[in-house]
Amino acid sequence: MTLPTHFISHGGGPWPWVPNMAQELEPLAASLRQISAELHQKPKAVLMISGHWETESFAVMHCKRPRMVYDYHGFPPETYELSYPAPGAPDLAEDVAQRLHQAGLPTRLDDTMGYDHGTFVPMALIYPEADVPLFQVSLQQGYDPEKHWDMGRALAPLRDDGVLIIGSGLSYHNLRQFGPKAKVPSEAFDAWLHEALALPPEARREAILNWEQAPFARECHAQEDHLAPLFAALGAAEGATAQRSYHQKDIFGGVTASSYRFEG
C-alpha cells in the first residue's frame, strides 16, 4: 500500500499540555489522532520534516535514541520535562541520505539533533505510545521551494515501503500578528492555498512553487520556515489528490489554519 503524505499545522509550543490552548485547538488534536486511525496498520517509521530544524545542507537524523529539544519559551515548567521516547531509525536515515545525494542534494547524517516540538508535539497525538520509529529531515537554509520539492520527490519511493512522510509547519505563521490582526491575511492565504492544492498536478506545482504571489503571502509567512514542509510533502506525492484534513477559523481571536493529506 502506498502511504499518504501530510502537511500539518502543528499548533504553538507544547499546546496539548497547556489547558487553555488544548481546549482552543481540540479540532487540531482530533485531526492529528485521525492520521493514525485512518491507516490499516502502523507504518515502518515516520519521517518528519519540521519547520523547527534547518541546516546549511539537508541533514538526516541518525540517532538511535534522539533527545528532546524544548524549542519554545514561556510555558509551564512541566512542559520542559516532557518525554517522547520513540526510537530513531538510523538505517532508514542512511538510506534517505543516499537518496538525497543521488538526487543531487547536499546531505549529511546528524547524530546530535533531537525531537523538536514541531515533531514530538504532533507525534504525541498521532502515536501517543511512542512505539513507531521516528526520524527527521531538516529544511535547507534559504527555503528554496524547488529544492524542497526535489527533496520530497527523492523520498517518494519510501511511501511504498511503509514510511509515513509528514511535513510539520503551519499554514499561517506570523508571531507578530496573531489575534484579530491575523484574520484577514490568514483567511485570504488559506483560501488561496485550498484553491491551489485543488489544481491539476502541474498547475498545482507551479502555484505552490510561486507561493509568494498569493494574497498576503509575506504577511502570513514573513519567513517561510513553516511553509517549506509543504513543498517536501507535495514533492513526495506529486500526482496525489489533496484532501483538507483540518480547518479552523478564528483561532486565538483571528487565525485561520489548515492541514492537508495527499493520497493516490
Side-chain angles (χ1 to χ4, degrees):
M1 183 179 67
T2 300
L3 293 181
T5 73
H6 292 264
F7 170 66
I8 59 171
S9 290
H10 63 229
W15 60 270
W17 297 272
V18 182
N20 65 317
M21 297 181 75
Q23 182 177 7
E24 179 85 7
L25 292 171
E26 176 53 36
L28 175 58
S31 74
L32 293 171
R33 296 186 191 104
Q34 187 63 26
I35 290 175
S36 53
E38 69 193 11
L39 297 178
H40 297 296
Q41 60 187 30
K42 289 180 179 175
K44 178 191 295 186
V46 174
L47 189 164
M48 190 76 76
I49 301 126
S50 167
H52 289 276
W53 186 28
E54 61 182 71
T55 57
E56 186 175 353
S57 65
F58 289 110
V60 187
M61 181 183 286
H62 190 234
C63 315
K64 289 184 178 180
R65 289 287 173 182
R67 63 188 177 89
M68 302 295 291
V69 177
Y70 306 112
D71 52 343
Y72 41 74
H73 305 282
F75 289 94
E78 61 269 22
T79 64
Y80 298 88
E81 299 176 1
L82 296 169
S83 177
Y84 188 77
D91 291 344
L92 278 171
E94 292 168 12
D95 177 54
V96 164
Q98 183 176 17
R99 290 176 186 273
L100 295 181
H101 274 299
Q102 290 173 345
L105 301 170
T107 306
R108 63 178 178 83
L109 293 171
D110 188 295
D111 289 290
T112 62
M113 181 61 182
Y115 296 140
D116 62 63
H117 84 266
T119 294
F120 78 78
V121 170
M123 284 298 293
L125 292 160
I126 298 169
Y127 288 110
E129 296 180 0
D131 55 353
V132 175
L134 172 64
F135 67 119
Q136 296 180 227
V137 175
S138 75
L139 303 176
Q140 186 180 35
Q141 291 172 357
Y143 316 118
D144 182 287
E146 195 156 4
K147 286 184 180 179
H148 288 82
W149 192 286
D150 289 346
M151 182 259 276
R153 180 184 287 157
L155 302 182
L158 297 176
R159 298 174 57 206
D160 294 319
D161 197 29
V163 177
L164 181 63
I165 298 172
I166 301 176
S168 177
L170 281 167
S171 61
Y172 174 86
H173 191 250
N174 184 341
L175 297 180
R176 296 183 177 182
Q177 193 163 299
F178 259 66
K181 290 182 179 179
K183 185 173 180 64
V184 170
S186 67
E187 280 188 356
F189 186 82
D190 189 87
W192 169 84
L193 182 62
H194 191 61
E195 292 176 5
L197 291 176
L199 293 169
E202 281 302 316
R204 177 171 68 187
R205 182 177 186 275
E206 181 73 13
I208 296 300
L209 292 185
N210 292 284
W211 70 274
E212 288 181 272
Q213 298 177 14
F216 297 99
R218 280 298 176 188
E219 286 190 51
C220 295
H221 295 280
Q223 181 171 294
E224 59 268 38
D225 50 341
H226 279 59
L227 188 64
L230 170 65
F231 310 148
L234 269 174
E238 288 189 273
T241 299
Q243 300 174 358
R244 188 156 59 185
S245 54
Y246 162 70
H247 180 64
Q248 190 173 355
K249 300 180 71 172
D250 293 322
I251 304 166
F252 303 118
V255 174
T256 296
S258 294
S259 300
Y260 286 87
R261 177 177 186 259
F262 307 108
E263 185 171 31

